[in-house]
Amino acid sequence: FAVISILIALLYISVPIFYNYDKSKIENIVCKDFKFQCTIQGKVKYSFIPSPRIKFNNFIIRDLSDKSKVLAKIEKVAVSISLRNLINKEKFNYSSIKLTTAEINLDLKKFDKYKKFYREKFNFKPIILKKGTINFYENKKYITNVKSIKFKHSSNKKANKSVLQGKFLNDKISLKLQDNKNDKKISKVLFLKLTDSKLLTKINVFNKSLKSNSISGNILFKQGKSRLTAIFNYKDHRVLFDKANLSTPFLDGKLNGQ
């Protein structure tokens, strides 16, 4: 009985090997979640090792506002498929996506658009990115990059979480962003660490501040043996600090102001 069960299971997950996958349909399903215009330039194939998945190469994602520009190029993509309706390709559904060897181009002039996109639309299925590079530009002028990127995004009923690690200015960088959905006090958490520079920043944004024209929260900043904690309010391009405590190897004190 056990052998028969294994054979049936293998047959079930092997059936999609014989399908011909329409690139346009795969693009529509995957790109619909990305909220981008994107294209698959390489071949599409199915694999059930180590789990059922659709694989394709040369995945191109277009810029948010200028479709003639490439926002990202990904060499390899693996889309994990749900076992439910596996043999019905018309009801194709996926559970997560893995990207390998990606080059991403971001224009700092469009920072507000990227921020709005992340806040309003970046709420899809789990993503894992390995071996990536993010290039930063100001219009066409190259500024800097983050290399050897590892990125992971997950979403559930409680929060959206994104974690990015890489090399920035010859330093190890770790950036974590958490968007809480149900926390009545803290809406967002930002964590930034530069290992070699011994720099760490953590910002908690208060939920109630998002309903006004200002942003308020608390901040922790550490650099070596120096430490700053404060409550802040950001409005009209100005930051006001309240109940700030500063500690360094040379002095301890309190400060308020902007």
Side-chain angles (χ1 to χ4, degrees), residues 169-185:
L169 299 176
N170 295 319
D171 202 342
K172 295 177 182 177
I173 186 173
S174 178
L175 177 65
K176 300 178 183 179
L177 180 61
Q178 180 170 316
D179 189 356
N180 296 322
K181 299 178 181 179
N182 301 319
D183 194 316
K184 295 181 179 180
K185 184 178 179 181

Side-chain angles (χ1 to χ4, degrees), residues 56-105:
F56 48 88
N57 299 329
N58 300 325
F59 187 48
I60 306 298
I61 300 175
R62 298 292 172 181
D63 186 78
L64 286 170
S65 54
D66 187 350
K67 306 305 179 186
S68 66
K69 295 183 179 179
V70 174
L71 181 70
K73 293 180 180 179
I74 301 101
E75 286 189 15
K76 298 179 181 179
V77 180
V79 180
S80 297
I81 307 174
S82 172
L83 287 173
R84 186 177 182 181
N85 297 320
L86 181 63
I87 61 176
N88 188 347
K89 67 176 182 177
E90 300 302 323
K91 294 183 178 181
F92 170 81
N93 189 21
Y94 74 96
S95 56
S96 65
I97 185 167
K98 182 178 179 181
L99 313 173
T100 306
T101 312
E103 185 170 7
I104 303 167
N105 303 305

Side-chain angles (χ1 to χ4, degrees), residues 2 8 38-39 54 60 67 70 116 170 176 205 216 230 232:
I8 292 174
C38 46
T39 56
I54 297 292
I60 306 298
K67 306 305 179 186
V70 174
K116 182 179 180 181
N170 295 319
K176 300 178 183 179
V205 178
S216 62
F232 71 90

Side-chain angles (χ1 to χ4, degrees), residues 130-147:
K130 293 183 178 180
K131 299 180 182 179
T133 299
I134 299 179
N135 300 311
F136 293 95
Y137 293 85
E138 191 168 7
N139 290 327
K140 295 182 179 181
K141 183 181 178 181
Y142 172 79
I143 305 298
T144 187
N145 67 15
V146 182
K147 300 178 180 179

Side-chain angles (χ1 to χ4, degrees), residues 95-230:
S95 56
S96 65
I97 185 167
K98 182 178 179 181
L99 313 173
T100 306
T101 312
E103 185 170 7
I104 303 167
N105 303 305
L106 299 180
D107 187 345
L108 296 177
K109 291 285 188 178
K110 299 178 181 179
F111 178 76
D112 288 340
K113 290 184 179 180
Y114 300 144
K115 184 172 66 174
K116 182 179 180 181
F117 170 81
Y118 183 89
R119 182 176 65 248
E120 297 179 357
K121 299 181 179 180
F122 201 80
N123 188 24
F124 42 83
K125 296 168 185 176
I127 296 176
I128 296 175
L129 166 62
K130 293 183 178 180
K131 299 180 182 179
T133 299
I134 299 179
N135 300 311
F136 293 95
Y137 293 85
E138 191 168 7
N139 290 327
K140 295 182 179 181
K141 183 181 178 181
Y142 172 79
I143 305 298
T144 187
N145 67 15
V146 182
K147 300 178 180 179
S148 303
I149 282 176
K150 293 180 180 179
F151 175 80
K152 185 176 182 179
H153 174 80
S154 61
S155 179
N156 55 41
K157 293 180 179 180
K158 293 183 177 180
N160 297 327
K161 298 180 181 180
S162 297
V163 180
L164 182 147
Q165 296 175 317
K167 294 283 289 185
F168 176 64
L169 299 176
N170 295 319
D171 202 342
K172 295 177 182 177
I173 186 173
S174 178
L175 177 65
K176 300 178 183 179
L177 180 61
Q178 180 170 316
D179 189 356
N180 296 322
K181 299 178 181 179
N182 301 319
D183 194 316
K184 295 181 179 180
K185 184 178 179 181
I186 297 175
S187 171
K188 300 180 185 295
V189 180
L190 174 66
F191 177 88
L192 173 65
K193 182 178 180 181
L194 292 171
T195 304
D196 297 336
S197 300
K198 297 180 180 180
L199 185 150
L200 181 149
T201 301
K202 183 178 181 181
I203 301 174
N204 295 317
V205 178
F206 297 151
N207 203 2
K208 62 181 180 180
S209 71
L210 298 178
K211 298 178 182 179
S212 63
N213 293 324
S214 64
I215 299 175
S216 62
N218 57 48
I219 184 172
L220 164 65
F221 177 83
K222 292 176 66 178
Q223 204 286 316
K225 296 182 179 181
S226 299
R227 175 188 178 99
L228 170 69
T229 60

